[in-house]
Structures are given as structure tokens and as C-alpha cells.
């Protein structure tokens, strides 16, 4: 009881200590630079020029949307979509040993009762 009372009356001291006063550096260079991992190592001329060439799930330029470029051609015009050798799109295409096993009546009953049927 005494230790708790002493802890309650103790002044709270923060666990982190800052060194010195807060100061804002005056000599930081804020000029834009290309990212060190960029493939070209140069900045685009303007954001509009970047956006005209950028691709993210299709062209980002507004002209392509207004002219109806997206969705104008069917997906079949892109060519056949076939998996590479050794790759499968669906589990049903795999050998029989990798197919899903059918549920047994006991498993269905256990799921429907929340597991209570296993202990009855």
C-alpha cells in the first residue's frame, strides 16, 4: 500500500530526453532532384508531361478518356491469354491429388453446430 501511494505522488518524468533546443536548419537544399533509383536519373519537364506518358492500369492522359480509347477494343484483340508451362489458372486444372476434398457429413454437422456435435 505504501509503495503505491509513493508512486502516485511522484512527479512524472518522461522516458525520452531531447538534446538541446528545437531549431530549424537554415541550410537545407529543397531543390527537386531525381530519385537515386530512377532509371533515367532526370526529372520530367513538367507534371503535365509526366502525366501524358505515365501508365497505371492504362493511360492517365485525359485525352484517352474523352476519345474513348479505353474499352474501345475488345479484350480478345490483345491476343490469347494462356498460362505458361507449369502454371495453371484454376485448381481444377491441376492433377487430381491437388483438388479440393469433398466435405463429409461429420464435418458439415460440426460446422453447423459450431463444434458442439463433436463433444455430444
Amino acid at each position: 500500500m505504501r509503495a503505491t501511494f509513493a508512486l502516485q505522488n511522484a512527479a512524472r518524468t518522461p522516458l525520452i530526453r531531447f538534446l538541446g533546443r528545437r531549431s530549424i536548419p537554415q541550410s537545407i537544399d529543397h531543390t527537386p532532384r531525381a530519385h537515386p533509383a530512377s532509371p533515367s536519373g532526370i526529372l520530367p519537364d513538367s507534371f503535365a508531361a509526366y502525366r501524358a506518358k505515365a501508365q497505371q492500369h492504362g493511360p492517365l492522359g485525359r485525352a484517352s478518356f474523352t476519345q474513348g480509347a479505353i474499352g474501345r477494343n475488345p479484350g480478345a484483340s490483345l491476343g490469347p491469354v494462356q498460362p505458361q508451362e507449369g502454371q495453371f489458372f484454376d485448381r481444377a486444372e491441376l492433377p487430381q491429388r491437388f483438388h479440393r476434398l469433398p466435405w463429409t457429413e461429420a464435418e458439415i454437422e460440426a460446422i453447423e453446430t459450431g463444434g458442439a456435435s463433436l463433444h455430444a
Side-chain angles (χ1 to χ4, degrees), residues 70-118:
I70 295 179
R72 183 181 341 165
N73 299 329
S77 67
L78 297 174
V81 180
Q82 297 296 327
Q84 295 178 0
E85 184 67 32
Q87 294 182 351
F88 301 94
F89 285 150
D90 190 44
R91 183 178 268 191
E93 299 172 3
L94 292 171
Q96 183 65 32
R97 65 181 181 188
F98 297 113
H99 287 199
R100 290 186 174 93
L101 297 174
W103 295 92
T104 63
E105 287 297 324
E107 291 171 330
I108 294 172
E109 184 69 24
I111 291 170
E112 288 177 349
T113 61
S117 64
L118 297 176

Side-chain angles (χ1 to χ4, degrees), residues 44-83:
D45 299 334
S46 67
F47 183 72
Y50 160 76
R51 185 139 175 117
K53 293 184 281 186
Q55 293 278 332
Q56 179 182 0
H57 311 296
L60 293 177
R62 286 197 172 268
S64 62
F65 290 111
T66 57
Q67 296 172 357
I70 295 179
R72 183 181 341 165
N73 299 329
S77 67
L78 297 174
V81 180
Q82 297 296 327

Side-chain angles (χ1 to χ4, degrees), residues 14-40:
L15 297 176
I16 186 171
R17 293 187 182 179
F18 296 98
L19 302 175
R21 296 179 50 87
R22 293 184 188 175
S23 61
I24 299 172
Q26 300 297 324
S27 61
I28 295 179
D29 182 20
H30 290 288
T31 57
R33 290 187 301 274
H35 191 274
S38 72
S40 63

